[in-house]
C-alpha cells in the first residue's frame, strides 16, 4: 500500500488555458474492487490532453481534474477483485483523463483493470509511454475503422509522424501495400518502416505520383496531417475504398460527392476517446508485441519533470514541440 493521503499532481480546477494547470497536492485516489493503484513513472503529453483541458474536446471531467491520459508505472495495490496484476508489475494505460476518469499526470493513478496492460519484458517506461497513444490511434485507423486487409493498398499521409509511423507498421503487418507521404527528408525512414513507395507531400506532382503508385486505387486513405485534400483522396479511392479521418479538429474541406458515391466509397471518422475497452485491449496486445521486438519507433523524446506540465501543454499548443514527444516524470521518494 502507498501509506500516503496526498500526492503531487498536475491538475486544473476548471477548463481553461495551459496556464491554468496547477502543480500541487491532491488526495491519493482509492482503489475500487476492480481497480489497480499505479505508481506513475512516465506520462505522455498529447494534443488531445490539451483539447480536454481547454474544453475544445468536451468530455466529463471531475474537478480538480488531473490532466493526461497515458502512463507507464508500477502496480502498488490492487482492488479485492483483481487477479491479473500484482504489486511490482510494470504496466501501462492509454485511456485515463476523459469520460469521467481522472488523468495520469500525478505520482499515483487508479486504473480500471480492463484499461491496464502489462508492459513487455524489459520495456523502458519513457520509450513505451511515448508510443502507446499514437500506436493505438494507428491501430484503430488501420484495423478497426479502415478495415485494411492483406493485398489492399493503404495510403498513409504524414507517415513520418507519431501516428503515421505506427500506421505504416500496422498496415504492413496486416499484409497491405503501403504508399506514404512525408517531408522529403523522411522518405527513407518511411520505406524502412515498410512503405512500398514514399513521396514528398510538398511535391507539386504529388497527385500524379500517387495515381501512378496505386493504379488500382487506394483502399484505405489515412491522413494523419489534418490537412485534408478530399478532392484528391476521393479521386484516388478504389471501389469500396475508405477515407479515414482522424485529425483536423476545425477543418472544413470540400467533398466531391459524386466521385465518392459512384465508387461506393466511404468516409469514416474516429477518435480514440470513443474506443471500447475491447478495441483498446486488442490494440494493446499488438502494441506490446511490436514494442517488445523494437518495431515501434518512439522518435525524439524530451523528458520534463511533472511540475512543468503547464509548460508542456503550452509548447504543444504553440507548435514548439513539433516532432518531439514530451514525457513528464513524477518524482518519488
Ligand atoms: N483521432 C484520434 O483519436 C487521434 C489520436 C491521436 C492523434 N490525433 C491527431 O493526429 C494528428 C497527428 O498526430 P501525430 O502525433 O502523428 O502528429 P505529428 O507527429 O506531428 O505527425 C504529423 C505529420 O504530418 C506531416 N504533414 C504535415 N503536413 C502534411 C501534408 N500536407 N501531407 C502529408 N503529411 C503532412 C508532418 O510532416 P512534417 O513535420 O515533416 O511537416 C508530420 O510528420 C494530430 O492532429 C493529432 O491531434 C488524433
Amino acid at each position: 500500500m502507498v501509506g500516503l493521503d496526498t500526492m503531487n499532481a498536475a491538475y486544473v480546477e476548471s477548463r481553461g488555458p495551459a496556464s491554468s494547470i496547477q502543480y500541487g497536492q491532491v488526495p491519493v485516489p482509492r482503489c475500487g474492487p476492480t481497480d489497480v493503484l499505479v505508481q506513475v513513472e512516465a506520462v505522455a503529453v498529447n494534443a488531445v490532453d490539451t483539447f480536454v483541458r481547454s474544453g475544445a474536446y468536451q468530455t466529463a471531467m471531475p474537478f480538480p481534474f488531473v490532466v493526461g491520459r497515458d502512463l507507464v508505472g508500477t502496480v502498488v495495490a490492487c482492488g479485492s477483485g483483481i487477479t491479473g496484476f500484482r504489486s511490482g508489475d510494470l504496466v501501462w494505460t492509454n485511456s485515463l483523463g476523459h469520460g469521467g476518469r481522472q488523468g495520469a499526470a500525478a505520482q499515483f493513478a487508479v486504473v480500471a483493470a480492463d484499461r491496464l496492460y502489462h508492459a513487455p519484458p524489459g520495456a523502458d517506461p519513457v520509450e513505451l509511454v511515448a508510443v502507446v497513444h499514437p500506436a493505438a490511434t494507428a491501430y484503430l485507423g488501420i484495423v478497426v475503422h479502415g478495415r485494411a486487409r492483406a493485398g489492399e493498398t493503404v495510403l498513409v499521409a504524414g507517415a513520418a509522424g507519431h501516428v503515421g509511423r505506427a500506421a505504416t507498421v500496422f498496415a504492413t503487418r496486416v499484409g497491405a501495400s503501403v504508399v506514404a507521404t512525408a517531408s522529403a527528408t523522411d522518405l527513407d525512414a518511411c520505406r524502412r518502416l515498410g512503405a512500398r513507395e514514399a513521396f514528398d507531400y510538398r511535391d507539386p506532382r504529388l497527385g500524379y505520383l500517387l495515381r501512378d503508385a496505386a493504379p488500382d486505387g487506394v483502399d484505405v486513405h489515412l491522413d494523419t496531417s489534418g490537412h485534408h485534400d478530399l478532392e484528391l483522396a476521393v479521386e484516388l479511392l478504389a471501389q469500396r475504398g475508405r477515407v479515414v479521418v482522424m485529425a483536423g479538429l476545425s477543418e472544413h474541406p470540400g467533398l466531391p460527392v459524386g466521385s465518392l458515391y459512384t465508387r461506393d466509397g466511404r468516409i469514416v471518422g474516429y477518435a480514440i476517446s470513443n474506443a471500447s475497452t475491447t478495441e483498446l485491449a486488442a490494440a494493446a496486445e499488438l502494441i506490446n508485441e511490436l514494442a517488445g521486438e523494437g518495431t515501434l519507433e518512439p522518435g525524439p523524446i524530451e523528458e520534463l519533470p511533472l511540475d512543468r506540465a503547464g509548460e508542456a501543454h503550452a509548447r504543444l499548443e504553440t507548435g514548439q514541440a513539433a516532432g518531439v514527444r514530451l514525457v513528464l516524470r513524477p518524482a518519488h521518494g
Side-chain angles (χ1 to χ4, degrees):
M1 284 302 294
V2 177
L4 297 170
D5 291 329
T6 61
M7 63 176 184
N8 289 321
Y11 64 94
V12 291
E13 297 282 7
S14 61
R15 293 177 178 87
S19 58
S20 65
I21 295 179
Q22 302 180 46
Y23 177 75
Q25 294 274 301
V26 300
V28 173
R30 301 283 165 222
C31 265
T34 56
D35 295 330
V36 174
L37 182 65
V38 177
Q39 177 173 301
V40 180
E41 307 296 343
V43 180
V45 184
N46 304 302
V48 72
D49 304 339
T50 70
F51 301 157
V52 169
R53 185 218 69 233
S54 69
Y57 182 83
Q58 286 286 325
T59 184
M61 299 161 69
F63 294 105
F65 175 74
V66 176
V67 299
R69 64 172 60 194
D70 316 325
L71 66 77
V72 174
T74 308
V75 172
V76 288
C78 294
S80 55
I82 298 295
T83 54
F85 295 97
R86 286 188 310 184
S87 287
D89 288 353
L90 189 67
V91 291
W92 63 272
T93 184
N94 55 2
S95 57
L96 295 181
H98 62 97
R101 292 178 293 282
Q102 278 291 359
Q107 288 180 299
F108 298 94
V110 156
V111 188
D114 61 355
R115 294 179 179 277
L116 192 67
Y117 320 107
H118 285 101
D124 176 83
V126 172
E127 291 194 356
L128 181 61
V129 87
V131 298
V132 296
H133 179 73
T137 302
Y139 172 88
L140 293 168
I142 295 295
V143 177
V144 176
H145 299 284
R147 295 171 184 257
R149 292 183 291 267
E152 290 193 325
T153 298
V154 173
L155 197 167
V156 179
H162 302 297
V163 178
R165 286 195 300 273
T168 302
V169 170
F170 287 141
T172 304
R173 182 59 72 114
V174 302
S177 170
V178 177
V179 176
T181 69
S183 280
T185 49
D186 293 325
L187 301 183
D188 283 343
C190 296
R191 292 188 194 101
R192 204 178 61 243
L193 289 170
R196 167 170 58 82
E197 300 203 50
F199 302 107
D200 178 1
Y201 71 77
R202 295 180 181 88
D203 191 325
R205 300 168 303 150
L206 184 64
Y208 165 79
L209 294 168
L210 291 173
R211 253 176 253 119
D212 198 45
D216 297 327
V218 169
D219 298 290
V220 180
H221 186 133
L222 177 72
D223 187 341
T224 70
S225 79
H227 304 297
H228 299 287
D229 182 348
L230 290 183
E231 289 281 352
L232 178 61
V234 172
E235 188 207 318
L236 291 171
L237 216 53
Q239 287 281 321
R240 305 213 167 198
R242 290 82 71 195
V243 177
V244 182
V245 179
M246 45 70 70
L249 204 56
S250 48
E251 292 290 309
H252 291 84
L255 174 67
V257 173
S259 299
L260 182 71
Y261 78 71
T262 55
R263 286 170 169 76
D264 288 14
R266 291 184 204 174
I267 297 185
V268 56
Y270 74 95
I272 190 173
S273 305
N274 304 326
S276 68
T277 52
T278 306
E279 289 166 342
L280 290 172
E285 196 175 327
L286 195 51
I287 289 168
N288 276 344
E289 187 184 324
L290 294 173
E293 57 185 55
T295 314
L296 288 177
E297 296 184 7
I301 295 171
E302 184 179 334
E303 295 182 37
L304 298 169
L306 183 61
D307 62 1
R308 289 170 64 187
E311 175 194 329
H313 274 224
R315 282 179 54 191
L316 209 59
E317 287 175 317
T318 54
Q320 293 173 60
V324 178
R325 288 291 276 157
L326 300 178
V327 172
L328 301 169
R329 304 293 308 266
H332 295 282

